[in-house]
Amino acid sequence: MATVQFRIVLICTVIYACNAAHQKRFLFRDVFPDRVNPNSLQKLWWIRKMSPDLYLTGRLTERQIKYASEGGFRSIITLFRFNSPGNLGLETFTTTDGAKTMAYAVNMGFRAILDSEDDWYKVSTVQKLTSAIAEMEKPILMHCHRAHTITFATLMYMANQTRVDPNFRPRITSDVFYEVTASLGLDFTANNTSEVVSKITGSPLPKVFPNTTAYPVEWSNYWLVHFVYKSWFVGGQILSTHIPAIVGTGFKHVINLRLGTSTHNQPSQETVTLLNIVDGTPTYGNATIGPRQSPDTLVRTRIDLDKATTYISATSSVNYEQRNSLEFGDGVGYNEGLEQVAVEKAGLTYHHLPLDNGRQYSRELFSEFKDKFLEIGETGEPVLVHCSDSRRAAYLTVLAAALQDGQDLNWALSKLDEIGFPVGPMTSPDVYRMYVAWLTDSSGNEIGRR
């Protein structure tokens, strides 16, 4: 009888653990919806979608404000008033007044919540943010300096909505808050922040706080990237002006998944983003449209035909951008060789592992990348994996991190949910099958730690 009871307890424990893992996945899918909209992922890969109306990022440059407008944002909220210019690597930020002027120029609303010296970890901050969200046109792009404090404030806004509105989703309790923020690579366990969490959620703090695994700890100094796990991070196209910030943050490796200028002796340059030009037109054209950066195609693919030429620059003779050297662009499109030179000159280890965006994902495809990814991961040094919009980077990096650390299928799918690229039998099914092939055994059982 004792043996039977032991088996029953063991089975129940396993079932509970499996259910808890799946509940965690559903939690993350609820908190982090996919990043389909706004519709310009290549221009806006650096945002985090918290709801269909609310998106988060760090301090904005003039180009990012313009891209936000082109991507469909109607308002900007900055948590702090910045009275002095700032910088990210070699790229500069204007003051809050300057950002407000830019936002108004592209017909976006703008509001600053706190003065530069105000404490952000207060209930009153959440109250002010709640009022601003209710009053401003949506969708709203919200930011602070490094996307750190605005994440706290936004999740506290969602926690407060959880208390006052029984129909609000997702439901944010203190346990959920700390589970989510640890997975994001953020730490809000200090006394001043935990007191606010307890007050707003109305629920007790966890007895044991989840720990983030993010390395480097101050990774949000380059807040544009998305934390995956331990030393793995993913992003879209990095800028030449950002390389000093990438080095200063502590990254040691850059893995570039974008195609080079030629593949199998055929031209294969990918596209760069261009102000006032729609994304998605092919680099070399097709039967219905000419090469993307040809004058005729640029004129035909403008987002706003009536945009002033000063939108591009004070000296531009046209109202659209013709090339983007910040993204290592040339007269055709993205030039991978230019990035390699710049990255290696900065002292980073550069790995070019090109993945054609049109390929189907499969077990065989990942086998082409697995050994190199795991070799780099075994160094324990911070790795930034990028493509054009972070999607390819996310699909390969999460799977590599799962294999390296012995994590199971559910863990990996949860990570994709966090980053904003949910995968399942009906959503990106080829990616899902690739994950199943690597993270389950021949009987379909998940392998790795639970």
Side-chain angles (χ1 to χ4, degrees):
M1 178 65 70
T3 302
V4 173
Q5 289 177 338
F6 173 76
R7 287 177 179 171
I8 292 174
V9 171
L10 179 61
I11 291 171
C12 290
T13 301
V14 171
I15 292 173
Y16 175 81
C18 292
N19 286 341
H22 285 282
Q23 287 171 357
K24 180 178 178 181
R25 198 219 163 170
F26 293 139
L27 160 67
F28 286 141
R29 173 166 287 184
D30 202 17
V31 175
F32 304 114
D34 68 78
R35 288 190 284 151
V36 174
N37 290 308
N39 60 8
S40 187
L41 181 59
Q42 190 169 344
K43 288 181 177 177
L44 297 169
W45 64 264
W46 35 270
I47 64 174
R48 179 175 293 282
K49 183 177 181 179
M50 301 301 289
S51 78
D53 291 332
L54 305 178
Y55 300 73
L56 309 181
T57 190
R59 197 168 174 182
L60 296 167
T61 65
E62 179 178 353
R63 176 179 286 269
Q64 287 175 316
I65 292 173
K66 292 175 180 177
Y67 277 175
S69 172
E70 293 178 9
F73 283 103
R74 300 303 306 142
S75 304
I76 292 174
I77 292 177
T78 175
L79 190 61
F80 297 104
R81 169 174 288 279
F82 297 100
N83 297 319
S84 301
N87 69 283
L88 177 65
L90 302 178
E91 195 165 20
T92 59
F93 304 112
T94 185
T95 63
T96 292
D97 287 340
K100 181 178 180 180
T101 299
M102 293 176 196
Y104 284 173
V106 292
N107 299 314
M108 297 175 69
F110 188 95
R111 184 173 300 183
I113 301 297
L114 303 174
D115 288 330
S116 58
E117 302 302 321
D118 287 348
D119 291 330
W120 51 271
Y121 47 86
K122 291 184 177 296
V123 173
S124 59
T125 299
V126 180
Q127 293 170 337
K128 293 175 182 177
L129 182 62
T130 300
S131 296
I133 290 173
E135 295 167 5
M136 301 193 75
E137 190 175 356
K138 300 169 182 65
I140 306 171
L141 181 58
M142 307 195 296
H143 77 91
C144 58
H145 184 194
R146 302 183 304 162
H148 185 270
T149 53
I150 192 62
T151 300
F152 177 86
T154 302
L155 285 170
M156 286 297 93
Y157 158 79
M158 297 167 78
N160 187 57
Q161 295 301 110
T162 297
R163 292 190 70 182
V164 301
D165 181 359
N167 297 317
F168 181 80
R169 295 293 184 275
R171 311 294 290 174
I172 303 295
T173 63
S174 62
D175 286 339
V176 171
F177 171 82
Y178 282 107
E179 191 75 44
V180 166
T181 52
S183 292
L184 291 177
L186 303 174
D187 183 355
F188 295 110
T189 59
N191 288 339
N192 52 8
T193 51
S194 59
E195 289 174 3
V196 175
V197 173
S198 182
K199 286 180 181 178
I200 291 181
T201 61
S203 53
L205 297 174
K207 293 181 179 179
V208 178
F209 289 111
N211 293 320
T212 182
T213 62
Y215 172 69
V217 175
E218 296 297 327
W219 68 269
S220 58
N221 285 333
Y222 187 60
W223 62 85
L224 290 85
V225 295
H226 299 282
F227 169 62
V228 176
Y229 188 64
K230 293 187 175 178
S231 58
W232 291 103
F233 298 80
V234 298
Q237 180 55 51
I238 61 176
L239 304 186
S240 59
T241 49
H242 290 175
I243 291 178
I246 293 170
V247 173
T249 299
F251 287 101
K252 301 299 182 183
H253 299 264
V254 171
I255 299 178
N256 182 4
L257 299 179
R258 303 194 74 181
L259 297 182
T261 55
S262 64
T263 302
H264 305 306
N265 297 318
Q266 295 295 318
S268 59
Q269 285 182 251
E270 297 188 23
T271 63
V272 293
T273 61
L274 299 168
L275 286 168
N276 201 29
I277 296 294
V278 299
D279 288 340
T281 53
T283 305
Y284 302 101
N286 54 32
T288 60
I289 197 167
R292 173 174 168 80
Q293 290 182 211
S294 66
D296 180 64
T297 300
L298 290 171
V299 169
R300 291 175 58 190
T301 56
R302 287 173 293 172
I303 295 171
D304 183 352
L305 276 60
D306 298 321
K307 190 72 72 177
T309 58
T310 52
Y311 179 76
I312 307 304
S313 73
T315 59
S316 178
S317 61
V318 293
N319 66 352
Y320 52 87
E321 195 169 32
Q322 301 175 76
R323 65 169 63 192
N324 185 351
S325 59
L326 290 174
E327 292 186 3
F328 306 102
D330 58 20
V332 176
Y334 168 70
N335 188 319
E336 179 270 331
L338 297 177
E339 178 177 334
Q340 178 178 358
V341 170
V343 169
E344 291 181 340
K345 184 178 180 180
L348 294 161
T349 303
Y350 180 80
H351 311 269
H352 186 216
L353 306 176
L355 171 59
D356 191 328
N357 205 20
R359 290 186 65 184
Q360 287 283 307
Y361 289 88
S362 64
R363 180 182 178 88
E364 292 71 28
L365 180 145
F366 186 72
S367 67
E368 299 173 20
F369 297 86
K370 178 176 73 73
D371 290 347
K372 190 62 178 179
F373 264 73
L374 295 184
E375 175 189 324
I376 297 167
E378 286 171 2
T379 67
E381 297 174 334
V383 186
L384 169 53
V385 186
H386 87 83
C387 55
S388 60
D389 59 13
S390 74
R391 191 186 300 268
R392 282 171 284 177
Y395 290 158
L396 295 194
T397 303
V398 170
L399 183 50
L403 291 172
Q404 179 185 319
D405 204 60
Q407 300 289 353
D408 63 18
L409 175 64
N410 192 70
W411 179 92
L413 297 179
S414 296
K415 281 294 172 183
L416 289 176
D417 291 340
E418 290 175 35
I419 299 170
F421 298 124
V423 163
M426 304 301 290
T427 305
S428 301
D430 58 328
V431 182
Y432 178 74
R433 289 192 295 269
M434 179 177 73
Y435 272 59
V436 169
W438 281 102
L439 298 176
T440 60
D441 60 23
S442 58
S443 299
N445 300 310
E446 293 188 28
I447 56 178
R449 291 198 296 268
R450 293 188 183 277

